[in-house]
Amino acid sequence: MGLKKTSLYNEHIKLNAKMAPFADYDMPLQYSSAKDEVLAVREGVGIFDVSHMGEFFAEGPGAHDFVDFIMTNDFKNAGNNKAVYSPICRENGTIIDDHISYKINDQKVLICVNAANIEKDWNWLKSHVGKFNCTLTNKSNDYSLLAVQGPKSENVLRKLRLISAEDFPYYSVLENTRDNEQYIISRTGYTGEDGVEIFCSHDFANKLWKEFLNEGVTPCGLVSRDILRLEVCFPLYGNELTDDITPLDSALKWTVKLKKDNFVGRNFLAEYSPKFRLAKLSIEKGIPRPGYPVLNKNNEVIGNVTSGTMSPTLNKGIALALIEKEKFPENKEFVINIRNKQFNCTYHAKHFYKGGHK
Amino acid sequence: MEHKIMENLKYTLDHEWAKIENETLTFGITDFAQSSLGDIVFVELPEIGTTVEKGTSCGVIESIKSVNDIFPPTSGEILDVNQDVIDSPENLNNDAYDSWLVKIKLSNVEQIDELLNSQEYLEHCKKNS
């Protein structure tokens, strides 16, 4: 069983990237140094090949209704050409995946899902689409996906004639054409910085990759992507979000719109009282890692780290941790156990770092 | 993967280098190791005066993404640890052979014979890359 390759695989090899399997794909982890890649995105502009992500299209008069029904967030009332982030839940409220749906036009929606969940999501969506007046197609193998992120991204994108619209606000999406190549561009990302994601043909992705590198854009791998999202506290499916918990257990209450029309999981979530609460914790010396136990001041284990790393931007250890709600300490005093040593944490009410997204 | 190997040093299968002077063994990690780990951001070393066992972890090196045990090339008492590396872990990325980790007082001289020479270590790296 060979690993799948993205259309940019040869470019990664040429750049001497450190490669590793991720969700059936051989993906670039880092090119030079993950730390430098993080700083490039915070201060300049970086480019990520995230072609492993899944792309489905819902098309037809019922496409908006369908997408609204399978997500917990409000899709129907979002404006034209808007993107909406949302969990996709089962009837019992547990999370199948988190994703972004893009309103391309009034009869067409792009549904972008996590690479590791493509098959699970596809089966789930397929089983619900029958009631709606629309078709559902899986175009995951037909699309490459580039993320161009960082405060200087807009300048480069305009120079390369990839954004032409005057007004292209955060979380909006457009279908565009350049040199007879059609692509979908959205002002979204997973880094907290300003930037875009470009869904396009494999050929065009290869062309663009070279153009961006010629402009001095830094190629960035999955390691820096994971650090960047953690610094701004974006959840990761498999870590903060799993098959076993609901969005209400993991800081995603803002994405569950109980007032909108019926949606999968609504009845359960309306009555549910969460079992967990997500905590944002940092430590000055020491690096929290997934699975490390979190304790209160009385030495009682109250939860686990779900994501943790050294933050190159803040120069300290940062962690997201799922804490049993009933044991969530009122005094906000948390301890992380690292190799049987106790580290006192700083509790953060907000994200560790505020990115500069528009 | 391009990496540097010093001819005058001894090596372990765990990608550590060792230098033996009289009764003292000084060790660190190889260029191959630092390059595989990527950005090194945290180093934890044993306390001076304690005794370590060959094959038993005596410390930790953390890169941004991974936690890695340090296995001493031989057993013995810890004579000294490199505080500079604890304070500036990135030194290991800059020059792995210039950044020693630990000095051990040799207690079992036979264990030195089990170390690899530079040629044997080169072969070992080829198999691992």
Side-chain angles (χ1 to χ4, degrees):
Chain A
M1 264 291 289
L3 285 170
K4 290 200 218 169
K5 293 170 180 172
T6 73
S7 69
L8 290 159
Y9 178 83
N10 290 336
E11 298 303 313
H12 305 322
I13 299 301
K14 259 191 246 167
L15 288 167
N16 215 358
K18 200 171 286 175
M19 306 292 288
F22 184 85
D24 296 340
Y25 280 87
D26 201 10
M27 295 297 289
L29 290 185
Q30 60 190 70
Y31 299 85
S32 52
S33 133
K35 201 169 167 176
D36 292 349
E37 292 169 19
V38 166
L39 298 176
V41 172
R42 290 278 177 245
E43 290 161 9
V45 47
I47 185 167
F48 303 81
D49 173 18
V50 283
S51 302
H52 59 318
M53 306 271 301
E55 292 88 8
F56 306 151
F57 284 89
E59 287 172 277
H64 287 196
D65 285 343
F66 166 61
V67 172
D68 195 62
F69 180 68
I70 54 97
M71 71 159 72
T72 60
N73 208 340
D74 188 349
F75 188 70
K76 231 195 257 177
N77 291 312
N80 290 328
N81 301 115
K82 276 298 198 183
V84 176
Y85 167 81
S86 179
I88 300 171
C89 289
R90 298 181 181 81
E91 276 87 0
N92 71 0
T94 57
I95 308 165
I96 289 184
D97 201 0
D98 68 333
H99 88 297
I100 297 178
S101 277
Y102 301 82
K103 256 184 208 185
I104 308 290
N105 61 43
D106 58 6
Q107 298 212 9
K108 183 173 172 185
V109 180
L110 161 59
I111 302 165
C112 180
V113 302
N114 280 304
N117 291 335
I118 291 175
E119 199 184 333
K120 178 170 73 163
D121 294 353
W122 174 251
N123 291 335
W124 180 257
L125 296 189
K126 212 52 194 153
S127 73
H128 286 85
V129 74
K131 295 191 285 274
F132 295 87
N133 187 10
C134 67
T135 59
L136 184 67
T137 48
N138 181 355
K139 294 278 182 70
S140 300
N141 292 331
D142 300 342
Y143 275 88
S144 283
L145 176 55
L146 299 176
V148 181
Q149 303 277 301
K152 295 184 178 153
S153 56
E154 184 169 352
N155 289 344
V156 181
L157 290 157
R158 291 202 183 274
K159 188 171 173 199
L160 297 179
R161 296 177 293 122
L162 289 163
I163 315 180
S164 43
E166 294 264 316
D167 186 33
F168 189 50
Y170 188 51
Y171 259 72
S172 61
V173 59
L174 290 171
E175 218 166 13
N176 253 348
T177 308
R178 200 203 78 177
D179 307 334
N180 295 320
E181 284 278 2
Q182 227 183 31
Y183 59 96
I184 294 167
I185 185 166
S186 63
R187 204 155 196 164
T188 50
Y190 200 39
T191 64
E193 296 302 330
D194 186 24
V196 300
E197 292 174 294
I198 302 169
F199 302 82
C200 62
S201 73
H202 303 316
D203 284 350
F204 197 45
N206 271 268
K207 195 170 173 194
L208 290 180
W209 178 268
K210 287 171 194 127
E211 289 182 23
F212 280 113
L213 262 55
N214 281 340
E215 293 297 325
V217 175
T218 305
C220 300
L222 292 185
V223 172
S224 56
R225 182 171 147 92
D226 188 46
I227 296 166
L228 287 156
R229 69 94 192 165
L230 186 50
E231 287 179 340
V232 294
C233 296
F234 290 170
L236 172 64
Y237 193 89
N239 292 38
E240 286 69 44
L241 313 176
T242 71
D243 280 318
D244 302 318
I245 59 171
T246 80
L248 304 178
D249 293 298
S250 200
L252 287 183
K253 192 174 176 198
W254 69 274
T255 65
V256 180
K257 300 286 165 53
L258 295 170
K259 284 187 185 146
K260 73 166 188 169
D261 289 349
N262 195 25
F263 61 90
V264 184
R266 182 177 186 278
N267 293 343
F268 183 90
L269 290 168
E271 304 292 323
Y272 179 71
S273 90
K275 294 195 180 73
F276 298 98
R277 187 171 156 189
L278 198 70
K280 307 175 188 77
L281 307 172
S282 69
I283 47 186
E284 291 303 320
K285 279 263 167 197
I287 306 167
R289 304 284 183 182
Y292 286 0
V294 181
L295 296 78
N296 60 18
K297 279 285 173 184
N298 303 325
N299 249 333
E300 189 189 0
V301 176
I302 57 172
N304 280 294
V305 172
T306 51
S307 292
T309 191
M310 179 75 177
S311 159
T313 311
L314 306 167
N315 206 19
K316 56 183 172 187
I318 56 172
L320 296 175
L322 276 179
I323 308 296
E324 291 175 55
K325 189 145 191 266
E326 285 175 6
K327 295 181 179 168
F328 200 92
E330 266 177 49
N331 61 9
K332 308 280 167 51
E333 289 186 18
F334 295 83
V335 172
I336 295 179
N337 201 327
I338 303 179
R339 296 183 288 275
N340 297 321
K341 270 185 227 158
Q342 318 252 311
F343 289 78
N344 290 328
C345 302
T346 303
Y347 174 84
H348 297 251
K350 289 188 175 169
H351 31 61
F352 304 113
Y353 181 81
K354 186 177 177 351
H357 68 68
K358 312 251 156 160
Chain B
M1 193 169 81
E2 271 185 47
H3 62 103
K4 212 161 59 172
I5 295 179
M6 310 293 266
E7 266 187 36
N8 55 339
L9 298 174
K10 296 283 189 182
Y11 296 89
T12 72
L13 294 172
D14 299 317
H15 300 283
E16 289 153 332
W17 59 263
K19 189 162 84 181
I20 296 122
E21 291 163 310
N22 302 321
E23 302 284 281
T24 304
L25 176 141
T26 306
F27 79 94
I29 62 167
T30 64
D31 193 39
F32 181 94
Q34 71 76 19
S35 171
S36 312
L37 291 173
D39 299 292
I40 294 170
V41 289
F42 185 83
V43 176
E44 193 175 277
L45 298 175
E47 280 181 37
I48 296 170
T50 58
T51 302
V52 295
E53 290 291 328
K54 185 186 175 184
T56 306
S57 169
C58 72
V60 167
I61 294 181
E62 296 196 44
S63 69
I64 281 188
K65 280 307 277 184
S66 67
V67 183
N68 309 273
D69 284 310
I70 301 171
F71 295 104
T74 60
S75 306
E77 186 191 333
I78 302 298
L79 297 175
D80 202 1
V81 298
N82 188 351
Q83 189 62 39
D84 288 348
V85 169
I86 296 173
D87 295 338
S88 308
E90 67 276 9
N91 287 355
L92 287 167
N93 291 121
N94 297 336
D95 189 343
Y97 296 109
D98 196 38
S99 308
W100 61 278
L101 295 174
V102 173
K103 289 183 193 290
I104 300 177
K105 185 175 178 185
L106 289 173
S107 61
N108 185 341
V109 184
E110 282 160 21
Q111 287 177 343
I112 295 173
D113 297 336
E114 297 164 19
L115 298 172
L116 311 177
N117 65 32
S118 58
Q119 194 54 44
E120 290 164 335
Y121 179 62
L122 179 66
E123 293 299 317
H124 176 60
C125 290
K126 276 184 191 161
K127 271 184 255 163
N128 277 262
S129 56

